[in-house]
Amino acid sequence: MNPLDATRNQVLQQIAEACQHAGRDVQDVSLLAVSKTQPSTALAAMYAAGQRAFGENYLQEALDKIEALADLDIEWHFIGHVQRNKTKHLADKFDWVHGVDRLIIAERLSNQREATQAPLNICLQVNIDSQDTKDGCQPHEVADLVAQISQLPHLCLRGLMVIPAPNNTPAFRDAKALFDQVKAQHAQPQHWDTLSMGMSGDLEAAVAAGSTMLRIGTALFGARDYSK
Ligand SMILES: *Cc1c(COP(=O)(O)O)cnc(C)c1O
């Protein structure tokens, strides 16, 4: 008996209830298993429980797991901060990158993605609640960045990613409004379908506001141990 079966089912149940409460179709909200600090064996067990999409934050740790789990049909998402000198590995090894917030990063990812690979899926990270951080573009920059990034040949711009401050759930509504604004544009990107927001502690509010992809770590794997 795989103990992660039960944990994953609990989280899926929680998502289903949040969808029901919000009057949304459960098919429209996907679960990204955030596996930073977890050993490959834990990812393999979560995979055996049915999970296919995994999110990692730290590049070297992720590359080790991608190699160790190469036999599994995993969809790899990078959800950490993207450094300019690390884009080559991201373009090579990942299916999605959520933390893109500058044109230069997107250009590098597009140039470094092999034409033989499927386009790299991208979310534009927005600093939605004016936090004191360098991560994420400003909301007023979104329209121009979307117009520019959606022209890049080896990327597929899918939507927005936000990490509001803890308990700032109203910021989810602002993110949804921004997402819808792009959608309403005449020249919206072709596959604009992803609003990446919500973690273990705030998934209900994120679903209520319109999240289409929840990034869940602790509720799936338990508390992280950073000491190793
Ligand atoms: C770690 C992390 C998560 C998962 O957080 P939990 O509270 O463990 O669910 C989600 N998104 C990002 C960007 C993260 O870094």
Side-chain angles (χ1 to χ4, degrees), residues 34 36 57 79-80 161 163 198-201 215-219 222 224 226:
V34 175
K36 61 178 175 236
N57 292 60
I79 61 172
M161 184 270 219
I163 315 174
M199 315 199 288
S200 297
R215 307 180 310 264
I216 308 288
T218 308
R224 283 180 288 276
Y226 285 99

Side-chain angles (χ1 to χ4, degrees), residues 6 13 16 30 53 76 110 118 134 184:
Q13 184 60 33
S30 66
W76 291 103
S110 182
K134 285 199 218 69

Side-chain angles (χ1 to χ4, degrees), residues 3-182:
L4 293 184
D5 272 336
T7 329
R8 182 167 180 272
N9 283 336
Q10 258 169 31
V11 171
L12 290 175
Q13 184 60 33
Q14 204 184 343
I15 296 170
E17 280 164 20
C19 285
Q20 196 180 20
H21 196 244
R24 297 187 56 201
D25 188 338
V26 71
Q27 309 280 0
D28 295 337
V29 183
S30 66
L31 171 60
L32 179 62
V34 175
S35 44
K36 61 178 175 236
T37 79
Q38 305 298 336
S40 309
T41 48
L43 280 75
M46 194 59 82
Y47 183 92
Q51 184 65 30
R52 292 295 172 268
F54 289 84
E56 291 280 338
N57 292 60
Y58 311 111
L59 182 60
Q60 190 52 54
E61 180 193 330
L63 293 175
D64 292 345
K65 291 181 203 174
I66 290 172
E67 196 178 309
L69 300 172
D71 291 345
L72 305 185
D73 183 26
I74 290 179
E75 183 179 273
W76 291 103
H77 293 237
F78 190 77
I79 61 172
H81 177 66
V82 181
Q83 287 171 290
R84 185 206 269 248
N85 62 347
K86 301 281 172 64
T87 50
K88 176 87 177 85
H89 291 295
L90 296 178
D92 253 6
K93 302 287 184 189
F94 285 81
D95 302 293
W96 285 72
V97 177
H98 291 230
V100 174
D101 57 6
R102 285 178 292 158
L103 181 60
I104 179 75
I105 297 282
E107 285 174 338
R108 290 177 64 93
L109 289 169
S110 182
N111 289 337
Q112 292 168 338
R113 185 76 166 176
E114 295 289 342
T116 53
Q117 290 177 289
L120 180 63
N121 295 295
I122 298 291
C123 290
L124 180 62
Q125 185 176 351
V126 186
N127 183 358
I128 195 67
D129 52 354
S130 315
Q131 286 178 77
D132 191 10
T133 158
K134 285 199 218 69
D135 293 354
C137 69
Q138 296 305 312
H140 69 84
E141 298 174 307
V142 166
D144 279 352
L145 282 169
V146 164
Q148 290 164 321
I149 294 172
S150 55
Q151 299 304 312
L152 298 173
H154 301 131
L155 304 184
C156 182
L157 181 61
R158 300 293 294 267
L160 301 178
M161 184 270 219
V162 296
I163 315 174
N167 303 317
N168 186 6
T169 52
F172 290 142
R173 302 262 167 211
D174 298 336
K176 168 69 164 149
L178 202 52
F179 177 79
D180 287 343
Q181 258 173 43
V182 173

